[in-house]
Amino acid sequence: MSVELLTYAELGARLNVSREAARSLARRRRLPRSRSDDRKARVGVDFSELRYRPRPRIGRQADPIAASMAKIEAFKSEAFKAEIARLEAKAAGYKADFERERERADRLAVELLQAAAETMAANAWAAQLEDEVADLRTGRRASGSTAGRAALRLGHLAAAIVAADRAAFR
């Protein structure tokens, strides 16, 4: 019947349990406790009277982190690969849509530039025709008779209008 004074850590080491389990055991068994000079709690234990066997750890694993990592790796190898393949296929579809829309935008930009050039040409042609009409109305031709020149200019004007109209419908 020898009583030993041990810290919770030392008691846990002797019983092969954690420090917290040794502290809980000392409380449950109401073992005498005291403080040492180094301010650590010491428990008086008589190992001949103490019949303690730690409960087996049922359902617990030694390293829960390693078990979790193993589960993640197993899951990763199956589900993640399938998910990655699904997302890559979806990304390829989006990339094809993007390329198609980019080509369409390029074609529309070219058509827009052509339409802008045709509009500028039509505006220039309209300005020229307006100048010719103004000249005909005022009769500002220096050479030849005014009536002969006006008829000639009117014919040219009509031909220019018809040519412009045909160019606009192309």
Side-chain angles (χ1 to χ4, degrees):
M1 269 200 173
S2 85
V3 175
E4 296 181 42
L5 288 175
L6 303 172
T7 63
Y8 292 127
E10 294 168 345
L11 179 61
R14 294 273 297 266
L15 297 176
N16 292 325
V17 294
S18 68
R19 180 185 158 289
E20 290 80 19
R23 184 171 180 258
S24 177
L25 176 68
R27 277 189 175 173
R28 279 195 319 267
R29 300 279 177 102
R30 295 184 182 157
L31 298 175
R33 291 179 284 177
S34 63
R35 294 230 180 235
S36 65
D37 293 336
D38 58 355
R39 309 295 298 165
K40 289 186 178 181
R42 300 235 176 224
V43 180
V45 182
D46 185 5
F47 283 102
S48 63
E49 292 181 8
L50 182 68
R51 290 187 179 100
Y52 175 75
R53 286 188 213 139
R55 292 183 185 163
R57 294 185 178 183
I58 298 172
R60 291 188 184 176
Q61 296 151 351
D63 189 9
I65 295 174
S68 297
M69 292 303 291
K71 285 180 185 177
I72 289 171
E73 289 299 322
F75 181 73
K76 189 190 307 184
S77 65
E78 298 166 6
F80 284 166
K81 286 182 182 178
E83 183 69 13
I84 288 170
R86 185 184 68 80
L87 290 174
E88 284 177 347
K90 199 174 201 181
Y94 288 148
K95 186 175 182 179
D97 289 345
F98 172 76
E99 292 296 330
R100 192 170 36 254
E101 289 300 318
R102 188 165 130 193
E103 290 172 4
R104 183 172 165 247
D106 290 344
R107 283 194 308 269
L108 288 174
V110 168
E111 288 178 18
L112 182 64
L113 288 174
Q114 288 175 346
E118 289 174 4
T119 302
M120 287 175 50
N123 286 340
W125 188 258
Q128 182 182 357
L129 291 178
E130 286 175 2
D131 288 343
E132 289 180 14
V133 168
D135 286 345
L136 287 175
R137 284 190 180 153
T138 58
R140 288 188 266 162
R141 295 290 177 208
S143 62
S145 71
T146 304
R149 295 295 283 164
L152 183 63
R153 291 296 296 159
L154 189 57
H156 286 294
L157 179 61
I161 290 172
V162 169
D165 190 38
R166 287 183 182 159
F169 282 109
R170 286 186 202 163

